[in-house]
Amino acid sequence: MSKGLAILTSGGDAAGMNPAVKCCAEYAAQRGYTPYLIYDGLRGMVEDNIVLSSRDLLSGILHRGGTILRSSRCKRFFDFEYRKQAYENLQKRGINHLVVIGGDGSFRALNQFYHDFGVPFAGIPATIDNDIAGTDYCLGVDTALNVIRSSIDSIRDTASSFSRAFVIEVMGRHCGYLALSSALSSGAEICLVPEVPYNLDQIGARLKMEIDDGRRYVLAIVAEGTQMASYLTRWINDSIGMEARLTILGHVQRGGSPTVHDRVMAYKFSIAAIDALDAGLTDAIMVYRDGSYNHLPIHSVADAKYVLDPLLLRLAGPLGN
Ligand code: F6P
């Protein structure tokens, strides 16, 4: 039986996707697979944007941010008719294994595809949100945190020069991981995340005491999932009496050359993903948990909710009070 294996990146791009693509294709070839690359994520699978992998396509991509395979959020993939089209595109090339590098929405889509047509897949967690259940780490998080850290360091320069407060909104969708980690690593005074109840009265009392004690500027990190960034900026200005500005970091957080950590994690997840397919697993998601690499069946990832590290919550949670 031919062993064709195709790699795609899907959902929000994340630094580390490119080293993962490269490593998956190269290691799959070593294991006797014929590697293919699917461009434009699930949309490319439907639209037949699939090419045989080659050294040329994989050269010079390690250090690049985003994904050279490009990505998409493809609603059409919810329709059986389009999934069938995608299956036919794989079948005519003898592709009977898939590696998807993306978030849990992409894993669910591939699981549906597996149930429809029996094409086994392995998932590599990649999203700056770090919100996938069962894994402590998703590709792209370290790079995003470093982009955020560098931005906050710059904002601190102007905040301290002007004795102002800065509210900085970070991404994460419904997850507060980026906000909590960034608040801790940048020594922010306030951090609001969706998972932790916050209390503006208590924050206000604390800040007023600190201002009386000599604090001249304030940094507040707000997770986008709280939708509190604009309100908090006005509140600091009006209730605390400190001139406040808002910075929404936005998509800059998704860019940048992958850090060493993201490159090495990409390799480790990739080897594990190909090994999982080689071992005959059909719906394995790679996870990194408590310092070890493992894999979980899709249902234990898709049916569970990501839980924030309790120690991180203990350290940064009080910044919401
Ligand atoms: O999932 C990654 C992410 O960057 C989220 O943090 C953010 O909410 C969302 O994607 C933005 O999506 P889009 O790039 O489609 O605007």
Side-chain angles (χ1 to χ4, degrees):
M1 182 184 158
S2 77
K3 290 209 301 178
L5 180 148
I7 303 151
L8 70 152
T9 52
S10 178
D13 51 277
M17 283 180 159
N18 289 330
V21 168
K22 183 176 170 71
C23 185
C24 281
E26 290 175 353
Y27 184 58
Q30 281 173 33
R31 303 293 307 172
Y33 294 87
T34 305
Y36 288 84
L37 306 175
I38 302 179
Y39 285 85
D40 300 315
L42 296 172
R43 192 177 73 220
M45 219 162 125
V46 172
E47 294 178 356
D48 206 18
N49 204 351
I50 305 172
V51 301
L52 197 56
S53 176
S54 67
R55 191 176 296 278
D56 184 38
L57 291 172
L58 299 177
S59 292
I61 67 167
L62 250 193
H63 63 293
R64 288 174 59 184
T67 162
I68 58 131
L69 295 187
R70 302 188 295 271
S71 190
S72 61
R73 303 191 203 275
C74 178
K75 291 217 175 74
R76 275 186 295 168
F77 208 77
F78 290 114
D79 292 344
F80 180 81
E81 180 197 340
Y82 289 109
R83 291 200 297 276
K84 185 156 174 290
Q85 202 170 310
Y87 175 63
E88 285 163 4
N89 293 335
L90 300 186
Q91 215 186 15
K92 69 185 177 199
R93 296 179 173 88
I95 297 170
N96 42 21
H97 298 81
L98 290 168
V99 175
V100 57
I101 306 165
D104 52 1
S106 310
F107 301 158
R108 278 193 205 97
L110 266 278
N111 193 37
Q112 181 60 56
F113 192 71
Y114 170 66
H115 284 285
D116 292 335
F117 307 107
V119 180
F121 72 99
I124 294 181
T127 164
I128 66 163
D129 301 339
N130 211 36
D131 61 351
I132 299 180
T135 185
D136 294 340
Y137 193 75
C138 300
L139 290 185
V141 172
D142 189 56
T143 307
L145 284 175
N146 276 293
V147 169
I148 298 170
R149 181 209 35 81
S150 153
S151 307
I152 298 176
D153 286 350
S154 299
I155 288 172
R156 179 188 293 279
D157 290 342
T158 175
S160 63
S161 303
F162 250 78
S163 302
R164 277 174 172 162
F166 272 82
V167 174
I168 300 147
E169 184 188 274
V170 299
M171 278 186 167
R173 212 179 282 274
H174 306 296
C175 179
Y177 183 86
L178 286 182
L180 288 169
S181 304
S182 304
L184 263 190
S185 57
S186 60
E189 283 67 47
I190 302 173
C191 181
L192 305 188
V193 294
E195 295 88 343
V196 183
Y198 39 83
N199 183 324
L200 289 189
D201 290 341
Q202 273 175 235
I203 293 175
R206 172 164 62 84
L207 284 187
K208 280 180 181 150
M209 261 173 42
E210 291 181 10
I211 290 166
D212 287 347
D213 196 34
R215 171 172 301 293
R216 288 187 305 101
Y217 68 95
V218 166
L219 295 179
I221 313 300
V222 176
E224 64 173 346
T226 63
Q227 300 187 322
M228 278 291 286
S230 300
Y231 182 86
L232 186 72
T233 311
R234 286 195 303 277
W235 177 82
I236 295 177
N237 204 76
D238 301 344
S239 302
I240 304 296
M242 183 179 281
E243 194 181 10
R245 295 284 190 271
L246 170 62
T247 300
I248 296 175
L249 288 184
H251 286 78
V252 71
Q253 295 161 94
R254 288 240 293 263
S257 175
T259 58
V260 170
H261 186 63
D262 272 322
R263 297 180 195 195
V264 173
M265 289 300 285
Y267 287 150
K268 291 184 175 173
F269 277 141
S270 300
I271 298 290
I274 303 298
D275 282 347
L277 286 171
D278 224 16
L281 297 182
T282 54
D283 65 356
I285 307 302
M286 303 310 112
V287 295
Y288 176 73
R289 193 83 199 249
D290 299 329
S292 329
Y293 295 87
N294 214 324
H295 47 73
L296 293 171
I298 176 75
H299 70 84
S300 47
V301 171
D303 301 343
K305 197 171 159 17
Y306 174 75
V307 180
L308 282 169
D309 171 9
L311 191 51
L312 184 61
L313 279 174
R314 198 168 131 203
L315 287 163
L319 298 176
N321 287 295

